[in-house]
Amino acid sequence: MQDLKGLVVENIPLTKEIYKLQISVPEEILPEIIPGSFAMLKIEAKGVFLRRPFSFADVDLKTGLVTFYIKLVGKGTGALREIHPGQEISMLLPLGRGFTVMPGKSLLVAGGIGIAPLNFLAREIIKKGGEISIIYGVKNEAMFIPEITKNFKNIEVYSEIPGPGKKGLVLDGLKAKDINSYDQIYLCGPNVMLQAAKPYLQNFSGLVEVSLESYMACGFGACLGCVVKVFSNNEIEYKKVCKDGPVFNFKEVVL
Ligand SMILES: Cc1cc2nc3c(=O)[nH]c(=O)nc-3n(C[C@H](O)[C@H](O)[C@H](O)COP(=O)(O)OP(=O)(O)OC[C@H]3O[C@@H](n4cnc5c(N)ncnc54)[C@H](O)[C@@H]3O)c2cc1C
Ligand code: FES
């Protein structure tokens, strides 16, 4: 983990609720970053005391460009939206355990802003010669990032209300797939999506990984503020999302 200072190069709205923040870090000091790991961004604003966690949506080690897709939620994400190109920002990175990037055929299942880490994962799988299919579910137009569909060929979009893609839920996309034709499956999205997907994936014999969210104070294992339950070796264990995750074996997490 390093505390790096970067310069904002771009901070633009992608939709009414989501913006893209791109930060440049001198490439010689940017460490290798695994998809699914995250950064704690320091936000200089009144009343925002803790850093906020964001997954890497893309990292280019050659240029030192780090990209985040950020959903407007509260004070921190609101203040971050206001920072301008040229301003400095402090980031603790890389944090957490990321996805296992595998060759072969991968199915990526994203709900809402859960597409952020899966965008980076998809790029890394393709770089390693793997094939990907993406199911991308959104609530409405305001949650849909159009540039994602330009990045990848094999992507199906579902929208809860008539909007981009087909009307329906991520689960509709999952049910329509022959999941056994994939070697591994990766998920990131709201708990309600994960709960609905769980019964469909429990008997899948390959690797299934999920990136979880939780409230985080420190981001590196010191405060116990981010604990989740995992059922492993026939017993319940408590794991820290920031240190043992955010990526876990989907079959083991208790949702
Ligand atoms: C590992 C990890 C990766 C993440 N990656 C991304 C990402 O790539 N893009 C992105 O937009 N967001 C991501 N998040 C969520 C993001 O960190 C929160 O939305 C952000 O911290 C909210 O800060 P805020 O000050 O704007 O809101 P706050 O003022 O802190 O909270 C406003 C409201 O949002 C809710 N809230 C706050 N944090 C969370 C959370 N973690 N989960 C659910 N509800 C929350 C609270 O209930 C509160 O009502 C990630 C979270 C984690 C743990
Ligand atoms: S956020 Fe502090 S232990 Fe995980």
Side-chain angles (χ1 to χ4, degrees), residues 70-81:
I70 300 183
K71 180 185 172 201
L72 277 166
V73 167
K75 259 193 178 165
T77 48
L80 212 47
R81 173 69 193 97

Side-chain angles (χ1 to χ4, degrees), residues 40 215-227 240-243:
M40 292 292 280
Y215 299 102
M216 286 188 181
C218 70
F220 48 82
C223 73
L224 298 180
C226 63
V227 168
K240 296 172 192 166
V241 174
C242 66
K243 193 126 184 140

Side-chain angles (χ1 to χ4, degrees), residues 61-129:
L61 286 178
K62 285 196 202 112
T63 58
L65 265 190
V66 176
T67 304
F68 300 98
Y69 289 135
I70 300 183
K71 180 185 172 201
L72 277 166
V73 167
K75 259 193 178 165
T77 48
L80 212 47
R81 173 69 193 97
E82 299 305 319
I83 61 173
H84 300 293
Q87 272 183 260
E88 199 176 68
I89 185 161
S90 151
M91 305 181 281
L92 281 184
L93 62 78
L95 295 165
R97 176 183 166 269
F99 289 108
T100 316
V101 180
M102 301 281 281
K105 273 183 81 181
S106 296
L107 177 63
L108 280 58
V109 183
I113 199 66
I115 194 70
L118 296 188
N119 180 67
F120 183 24
L121 174 66
R123 287 184 185 281
E124 293 298 301
I125 292 173
I126 292 168
K127 261 193 219 162
K128 290 211 155 71

Side-chain angles (χ1 to χ4, degrees), residues 163-175:
K166 296 181 194 160
K167 186 177 176 309
L169 302 170
V170 158
L171 195 63
D172 298 316
L174 206 50
K175 282 181 187 168

Side-chain angles (χ1 to χ4, degrees), residues 186-246:
Y186 305 93
L187 303 100
C188 186
N191 253 25
V192 57
M193 175 196 108
L194 301 178
Q195 282 161 353
K198 198 138 201 216
Y200 287 90
L201 302 181
Q202 207 61 25
N203 295 324
F204 177 72
S205 59
L207 174 84
V208 190
E209 288 187 329
V210 62
S211 178
L212 293 182
E213 269 200 21
S214 76
Y215 299 102
M216 286 188 181
C218 70
F220 48 82
C223 73
L224 298 180
C226 63
V227 168
V228 289
K229 276 191 210 167
V230 166
F231 190 72
S232 166
N233 303 322
N234 277 330
E235 58 179 10
I236 294 281
E237 291 177 24
Y238 291 87
K239 300 275 184 187
K240 296 172 192 166
V241 174
C242 66
K243 193 126 184 140
D244 304 310

Side-chain angles (χ1 to χ4, degrees), residues 20-75:
K20 174 160 102 174
L21 177 64
Q22 265 192 327
I23 298 170
S24 155
V25 176
E27 62 274 19
E28 64 278 8
I29 59 168
L30 188 63
E32 197 184 337
I33 292 174
I34 294 170
S37 60
F38 65 99
M40 292 292 280
L41 301 195
K42 191 165 182 189
I43 301 168
E44 306 286 354
K46 221 174 147 193
V48 183
F49 304 107
L50 299 169
R51 289 171 183 258
R52 298 291 196 264
F54 299 98
S55 305
F56 298 99
D58 206 5
V59 175
D60 187 338
L61 286 178
K62 285 196 202 112
T63 58
L65 265 190
V66 176
T67 304
F68 300 98
Y69 289 135
I70 300 183
K71 180 185 172 201
L72 277 166
V73 167
K75 259 193 178 165

